[in-house]
Amino acid sequence: QVQLQESGPGLVKPSQTLSLTCTVSGGSISSGSYYWSWIRQPAGKGLEWIGRIYTSGSTNYNPSLKSRVTISVDTSKNQFSLKLSSVTAADTAVYYCARDGVGATYDYWGQGTLVTVSS
Amino acid sequence: QSALTQPASVSGSPGQSITISCTGTSSDVGGYNYVSWYQQHPGKAPKLMIYDVSNRPSGVSNRFSGSKSGNTASLTISGLQAEDEADYYCSSYTSSSTPKVFGGGTKLTVL
């Protein structure tokens, strides 16, 4: 059973960079034809796709965040990471990592981690 | 504004059936058989309930079913139970600038 776990600071100051890591267990991040995505959800609001990475390193980003987002992968650690620069209060949200399968399927999700942007 | 349109809320009594719609365009819902539905309870991560329009992952109750007509996909829950009360999100593959898009979510209340 694949499991994902997000980790990183829960509080980030405005204008700084938000950094999160997703650790995948129960299977190799390199096996199968999967992308690995980051998705966020502000309190009381819907889901917003941030971006994704393939184990080859190929990435896709949400155009609305593209200038601030970097997603990377470390296959040796079975992890992938998110960096979001120049954060503001609008970036406060629960951040999820998820396995991104064929079509529209996110079949495995992390439990989510709340990141608050505040001074 | 979300790319896919869902009703903000639906409700039903235990034992009844409800349907949640998800309307997109020919560039997403209407163009591909890649629509998924997710259930999210408060404070929890979304859970995949339906994929590829009408397929259920292992372990998901057969009370949940999906369908699609034109640019609108639907999730039907039959035999409503109290535990079904949650938020539901649809997602579709899209040919636009992002590979997948979400709906705005629908809050299901079991009366």
Side-chain angles (χ1 to χ4, degrees):
Chain A
Q1 176 81 345
V2 174
Q3 293 184 311
L4 293 84
Q5 177 70 58
E6 304 89 351
S7 59
L11 180 64
V12 181
K13 289 182 167 53
S15 80
Q16 294 191 342
T17 296
L18 177 161
S19 295
L20 295 174
T21 295
C22 181
T23 301
V24 179
S25 59
S28 171
I29 199 171
S30 301
S31 65
S33 301
Y34 298 107
Y35 280 86
W36 301 87
S37 277
W38 287 98
I39 296 161
R40 69 181 183 180
Q41 185 175 36
K45 296 188 178 182
L47 301 165
E48 179 182 30
W49 178 76
I50 299 170
R52 68 181 187 176
I53 191 165
Y54 196 65
T55 49
S56 65
S58 172
T59 55
N60 302 107
Y61 298 132
N62 188 323
S64 68
L65 300 169
K66 187 175 183 178
S67 63
R68 300 193 291 130
V69 174
T70 302
I71 297 176
S72 59
V73 64
D74 186 336
T75 55
S76 67
K77 295 182 178 179
N78 235 30
Q79 295 176 334
F80 62 108
S81 298
L82 168 70
K83 291 187 184 301
L84 181 64
S85 64
S86 305
V87 297
T88 69
D91 294 311
T92 294
V94 174
Y95 284 75
Y96 295 101
C97 56
R99 191 173 81 168
D100 185 337
V102 176
T105 304
Y106 298 101
D107 53 359
Y108 293 99
W109 296 67
Q111 65 185 24
T113 187
L114 174 62
V115 179
T116 301
V117 178
S118 175
S119 55
Chain B
Q1 187 172 351
S2 301
L4 305 179
T5 301
Q6 298 180 235
S9 63
V10 298
S11 63
S13 299
Q16 287 186 333
S17 294
I18 64 94
T19 297
I20 299 172
S21 62
C22 171
T23 301
T25 69
S26 58
S27 295
D28 39 64
V29 174
Y32 309 93
N33 287 323
Y34 288 139
V35 177
S36 295
W37 290 91
Y38 302 86
Q39 176 191 65
Q40 187 180 35
H41 286 112
K44 300 295 187 181
K47 174 187 176 183
L48 178 66
M49 305 300 285
I50 296 288
Y51 68 96
D52 295 354
V53 176
S54 60
N55 293 309
R56 280 188 309 275
S58 174
V60 172
S61 170
N62 59 9
R63 296 186 299 105
F64 292 82
S65 62
S67 62
K68 189 185 84 167
S69 178
N71 295 336
T72 298
S74 298
L75 172 71
T76 297
I77 309 174
S78 60
L80 267 181
Q81 299 179 359
E83 67 204 49
D84 299 331
E85 186 163 292
D87 294 326
Y88 291 84
Y89 293 89
C90 63
S91 175
S92 173
Y93 179 83
T94 174
S95 58
S96 73
S97 55
T98 60
K100 301 174 187 180
V101 289
F102 288 105
T106 297
K107 181 176 180 59
L108 169 61
T109 300
V110 180
L111 303 171

